[in-house]
Amino acid sequence: MITFFKYFLGIFSILLFPLHVFSQTTILLNNTDELQDIGKQTYYLEDASLGLSIEQIINDNLDTIFVPNAQETINFSSTASAYWLKFKVTKSITDNFYLNVGSAYIDSISLYEFDEQGKLISTRHTGDDLPFNTREIEVGNYLFALDFEKDVTRTFYLRVKSDQPLFFLLRVGTLPNFVAYEHDLDFLQGIYFGFMLLIFLYNLFLYVSTRERIYLYYIAYVFSITWFMASVFGYFFEYFWPNTPFLNQLVVISSGLTMITATLFTQKFLNTQEADPNMHKGSIAFLILGFLICALVIFGFKIEGLKLSQGALLLMAVFFLILGIRFKLKGYRPAKYYLFAWGALIIGIFFAILESLNLTFVMTYLNAMQIGSALEVLLLSFALGDRINMYKKQKEDAQVEALLAARENERLIQEQNVILEKKVEERTAEVAIRNKELVNLNKEKDMLVNVVAHDLRTPLSHIRVLIQLIDVTSLHLTEDQKSYITEIDNSADRLSQMIGRILNIHALETNRVKLKNQVIDLVELVNYVVKCFRLTAEGKEIEISMISQPGNHFVEVDKNYTIQVLENLVSNAIKFSDRGSKVFLHVKSEEGKTYVTVEDQGPGISEEDQKKLFGRFQRLSAQPTEGEMSIGLGLSIVKKYIEAMNGEIHCESELGTGTKFIISFESKDQLKEVER
């Protein structure tokens, strides 16, 4: 991001220097105390075709078109061209001197040495496109030995080519000078990279602990910056892939990753999607640019990707600075550190530009970009910490509010409990009164039933006896009078049966039924009932029959109650069957149970009526075919009797096809009387 301005402004700076800087044409090696910058004592030639060879330069007399270099820092910006540098060196002392090309990521370097007669003495080739061990001395920067005699002048041609910015210092000095320089450089660089590694590992630990994605974005951002800086000084190439120079061509991808991770971190940190949707949409452009830069580098357009990254990174830094100001003005507390962080990065870029123009002092061991990036990641770490503290404070405040709300709710609940307890006591007293009233009503009901049993049954019995004593044949009665007497007898009989059923229900509900169970043959019982109803069935022209499966069909039941159950079911089957139809009784035993099925060919029972079939006083939609009487108590009594004898009953019926009532009891093996 710094090179775009650095190199662009460097071109114009050439015009600002006076012409006397080109007057020195020979570099004199006479000082062993310090390193000597020789950038202004060189001449350069651009090779846009990349096809010039040292032979062409010498034989075609191209020396005359070399241009003097105007500043100590060799600065050719981002270019696809190769550049040739020419300079002369004379030794005035016998010490061993070295030439230093002060950049660790130049793709190819070729140094050609000529004697005073113009004869080529040596050729040396190295660079990032060749393995690391091609360097004369295996250090990050390039060192070439100037091992010629005292008072001898040599002419050197240096060819450099790089897809990264061609920006470096050209110096000469003794090996102890460079060792001392490299020692101090590695010490300060170790502090920088150690600090970046510490920030990386610390936030990686936070991510593993919290699983918050913002820490993942942040450590990816720190890694991309560290990767770029380590590549600038050649550390990755030297220590990680010295024999794989191809990977050096991918350094610019770190710029694209920096844009991607910085954008994701900013979006998450400032919550731009919800807090500022318009700025969030604008930040997406930097994600697209980041991926575009990576794609350009991967597909071989490294120069285009580099130039795009220079402008895009600077634009992104300014955009995020403005974004930080907006959020600071909105009162978002962590935006303060975020604003300072991006401010530090932009200041680092600004000083790097001034440094490239020789408008300020040149930083020897650290560049302004490193200082700016270190301050940035430090302040962003503070911003993350402040963000955590802010959320922690919000959580604590929410907990306090929740505690106060809980206490208020507890107070309200206690008040409500007091009110509810009072209402419960009142309702309990009311229920107790109502229960007492119900007990009294139940006693009155029992008394009424007893009255019915004693005071109504006895007169009804007398009426029936008196009617039977009347000698109808000896009286001169008309046919109508005879039918009246018969109807009186029938009505008294039906009323007596109705009273009997009411008393039976009452006995069942009050658990006063005394069962006398005994093991009986159910076939005999069913045969008896069929015989009892044969005349009634014939009177309605209905055929009644019994079918029994071969074998024993013993069950343990109360004989009298079982007869009443069967009589009720058979009576209903006859009542609800048309003349000319049939009624069947089936007896079978299987799987430990004995079944009796009473089946008719009547109108059937609807699904809605089947739901209320065994309720008391239930009148169904189907009616007896010839107006027979039904009060709706029979099936409820049947069900209670069967359940009292540990049996089961259910109904199967379809409209228009008839009805089946199926009774089941547990099968027994032998006849034995059992009393309860």
Side-chain angles (χ1 to χ4, degrees):
M1 63 183 73
I2 65 172
T3 54
F4 178 75
F5 285 93
K6 182 187 294 183
Y7 304 142
F8 180 80
L9 297 177
I11 293 173
F12 290 96
S13 67
I14 296 174
L15 303 175
L16 302 177
F17 286 89
L19 296 176
H20 72 271
V21 298
F22 305 130
S23 60
Q24 184 178 358
T25 57
T26 301
I27 301 164
L28 183 62
L29 302 180
N30 59 0
N31 185 0
T32 60
D33 295 332
E34 60 183 11
L35 299 174
Q36 180 182 351
D37 293 325
I38 63 171
K40 290 182 179 181
Q41 296 167 282
T42 63
Y43 294 80
Y44 70 90
L45 173 67
E46 181 179 4
D47 178 13
S49 68
L50 304 178
L52 285 178
S53 64
I54 188 63
E55 290 80 9
Q56 289 176 306
I57 291 175
I58 298 300
N59 297 333
D60 296 345
N61 199 25
L62 297 180
D63 285 351
T64 58
I65 62 174
F66 272 73
V67 179
N69 190 39
Q71 58 182 12
E72 293 293 3
T73 301
I74 306 299
N75 185 353
F76 298 122
S77 188
S78 299
T79 176
S81 301
Y83 280 84
W84 291 82
L85 295 174
K86 177 185 177 182
F87 53 92
K88 292 183 178 182
V89 179
T90 300
K91 272 189 180 182
S92 63
I93 56 178
T94 59
D95 294 74
N96 293 325
F97 285 86
Y98 288 82
L99 173 69
N100 171 231
V101 180
S103 175
Y105 61 111
I106 298 176
D107 293 343
S108 66
I109 300 176
S110 297
L111 182 65
Y112 303 92
E113 182 179 356
F114 290 83
D115 62 11
E116 294 174 344
Q117 288 74 37
K119 180 182 178 181
L120 181 63
I121 298 174
S122 67
T123 301
R124 285 168 275 188
H125 300 286
T126 186
D128 280 353
D129 286 346
L130 297 173
F132 195 80
N133 58 15
T134 60
R135 306 184 185 196
E136 289 186 25
I137 298 178
E138 296 186 6
V139 293
N141 294 324
Y142 300 93
L143 290 176
F144 301 93
L146 305 176
D147 52 356
F148 51 89
E149 301 297 328
K150 176 184 177 184
D151 297 327
V152 173
T153 299
R154 293 284 187 263
T155 301
F156 292 91
Y157 291 87
L158 180 67
R159 182 186 184 275
V160 291
K161 170 67 178 71
S162 181
D163 290 334
Q164 288 80 36
L166 272 171
F167 174 78
F168 57 90
L169 291 173
L170 197 62
R171 294 175 293 186
V172 292
T174 63
L175 191 58
N177 297 143
F178 286 111
V179 169
Y181 169 78
E182 290 291 335
H183 181 270
D184 295 338
L185 174 68
D186 290 341
F187 175 74
L188 293 176
Q189 290 294 324
I191 293 175
Y192 171 78
F193 288 109
F195 172 74
M196 299 297 280
L197 180 61
L198 178 64
I199 294 293
F200 178 89
L201 293 176
Y202 173 70
N203 286 278
L204 179 62
F205 171 76
L206 290 178
Y207 169 71
V208 173
S209 301
T210 64
R211 294 296 178 180
E212 288 195 27
R213 194 176 301 173
I214 189 170
Y215 291 106
L216 186 62
Y217 295 152
Y218 184 57
I219 60 178
Y221 173 67
V222 172
F223 172 77
S224 63
I225 294 178
T226 306
W227 176 17
F228 176 75
M229 289 301 172
S231 299
V232 167
F233 290 92
Y235 294 122
F236 272 14
F237 185 31
E238 181 178 358
Y239 295 108
F240 291 95
W241 54 77
N243 298 316
T244 314
F246 165 75
L247 296 177
N248 295 323
Q249 300 178 18
L250 304 178
V251 171
V252 181
I253 289 179
S254 63
S255 300
L257 293 178
T258 299
M259 293 188 66
I260 294 170
T261 54
T263 302
L264 292 173
F265 172 79
T266 298
Q267 290 176 344
K268 187 71 173 178
F269 180 81
L270 298 178
N271 193 21
T272 56
Q273 188 170 9
E274 295 182 4
D276 200 332
N278 292 329
M279 295 296 281
H280 177 80
K281 293 177 182 177
S283 67
I284 294 175
F286 298 109
L287 288 176
I288 298 172
L289 287 173
F291 284 110
L292 180 59
I293 291 168
C294 295
L296 288 172
V297 175
I298 291 172
F299 290 105
F301 301 95
K302 289 177 282 187
I303 297 298
E304 292 79 1
L306 177 62
K307 291 181 178 180
L308 179 61
S309 68
Q310 291 170 345
L313 285 170
L314 183 59
L315 182 62
M316 182 190 73
V318 175
F319 180 85
F320 287 164
L321 183 65
I322 295 172
L323 193 61
I325 294 173
R326 285 172 62 90
F327 275 80
K328 180 65 174 68
L329 294 176
K330 288 182 178 181
Y332 185 62
R333 194 176 73 182
K336 173 178 63 176
Y337 293 107
Y338 180 86
L339 184 60
F340 289 154
W342 286 105
L345 184 62
I346 292 177
I347 292 172
I349 296 171
F350 176 74
F351 273 100
I353 294 172
L354 295 180
E355 181 182 271
S356 68
L357 296 176
N358 288 331
L359 299 178
T360 185
F361 63 92
V362 177
M363 302 184 68
T364 306
Y365 300 106
L366 291 171
N367 61 45
M369 185 65 182
Q370 283 182 297
I371 296 175
S373 64
L375 288 174
E376 181 199 27
V377 298
L378 178 62
L379 291 170
L380 287 178
S381 294
F382 288 157
L384 281 174
D386 191 59
R387 182 174 178 267
I388 293 173
N389 290 333
M390 183 185 72
Y391 287 153
K392 183 179 179 182
K393 180 66 166 55
Q394 291 176 350
K395 183 178 179 181
E396 290 174 351
D397 292 343
Q399 288 176 342
V400 170
E401 291 180 2
L403 180 60
L404 294 175
R407 289 178 178 175
E408 178 64 17
N409 289 337
E410 184 179 358
R411 184 186 64 81
L412 293 174
I413 290 172
Q414 289 177 349
E415 291 180 357
Q416 292 297 320
N417 284 339
V418 172
I419 295 173
L420 287 174
E421 287 176 359
K422 185 176 180 180
K423 289 185 176 181
V424 167
E425 290 177 357
E426 293 175 354
R427 295 295 296 171
T428 302
E430 292 179 5
V431 169
I433 294 172
R434 294 296 175 87
N435 283 339
K436 187 175 181 180
E437 292 175 354
L438 289 174
V439 169
N440 292 333
L441 287 173
N442 197 45
K443 290 180 179 179
E444 292 179 5
K445 182 203 69 172
D446 291 342
M447 186 180 298
L448 179 61
V449 171
N450 291 331
V451 168
V452 170
H454 182 270
D455 295 347
L456 292 182
R457 259 188 155 179
T458 302
L460 282 173
S461 299
H462 290 168
I463 291 172
R464 295 200 65 197
V465 170
L466 292 174
I467 291 172
Q468 292 172 2
L469 292 175
I470 295 175
D471 186 2
V472 176
T473 58
S474 63
L475 297 177
H476 301 286
L477 299 176
T478 64
E479 292 298 324
D480 289 340
Q481 289 173 336
K482 291 179 181 178
S483 64
Y484 293 156
I485 293 174
T486 302
E487 185 62 30
I488 291 171
D489 185 42
N490 291 337
S491 296
D493 181 53
R494 288 196 298 270
L495 183 57
S496 179
Q497 291 179 12
M498 186 183 299
I499 292 172
R501 289 176 180 175
I502 292 173
L503 292 175
N504 288 336
I505 292 174
H506 178 68
L508 286 170
E509 290 178 345
T510 55
N511 294 321
R512 284 188 247 169
V513 174
K514 298 295 183 180
L515 295 177
K516 186 177 181 181
N517 287 352
Q518 61 185 113
V519 177
I520 62 174
D521 187 349
L522 202 54
V523 174
E524 295 181 358
L525 211 61
V526 172
N527 265 324
Y528 168 76
V529 172
V530 169
K531 290 178 181 178
C532 291
F533 279 90
R534 193 172 300 281
L535 292 177
T536 304
E538 290 175 356
K540 203 173 177 180
E541 300 178 0
I542 293 174
E543 180 182 342
I544 184 170
S545 61
M546 192 273 288
I547 303 172
S548 174
Q549 187 183 64
N552 295 324
H553 305 289
F554 298 131
V555 293
E556 184 180 337
V557 293
D558 184 290
K559 182 177 180 180
N560 292 327
Y561 283 114
T562 305
I563 290 173
Q564 289 187 42
V565 166
L566 294 174
E567 286 178 343
N568 191 295
L569 295 177
V570 173
S571 174
N572 283 344
I574 294 172
K575 284 180 185 178
F576 291 92
S577 294
D578 293 321
R579 289 182 176 270
S581 61
K582 297 179 180 180
V583 173
F584 303 97
L585 278 79
H586 306 270
V587 181
K588 67 176 182 178
S589 295
E590 59 185 16
E591 297 180 356
K593 286 196 173 184
T594 299
Y595 299 88
V596 177
T597 301
V598 179
E599 179 181 0
D600 64 50
Q601 297 176 339
I605 303 172
S606 67
E607 291 185 4
E608 187 66 28
D609 282 346
Q610 289 183 41
K611 296 177 183 178
K612 54 184 179 180
L613 195 59
F614 296 101
R616 287 190 298 171
F617 301 103
Q618 294 293 333
R619 293 298 183 95
L620 307 182
S621 56
Q623 297 296 322
T625 56
E626 295 188 2
E628 293 93 335
M629 182 179 179
S630 175
I631 62 171
L633 283 172
L635 290 177
S636 64
I637 295 174
V638 164
K639 184 175 178 63
K640 288 184 178 295
Y641 280 173
I642 291 174
E643 289 176 349
M645 294 184 290
N646 298 321
E648 296 177 356
I649 182 172
H650 71 278
C651 174
E652 296 177 2
S653 180
E654 290 184 12
L655 288 176
T657 61
T659 303
K660 292 181 182 180
F661 283 93
I662 303 170
I663 306 169
S664 63
F665 297 100
E666 185 179 349
S667 299
K668 297 296 179 179
D669 295 332
Q670 57 184 353
L671 296 174
K672 181 176 68 174
E673 184 173 334
V674 179
E675 293 189 5
R676 290 188 184 178

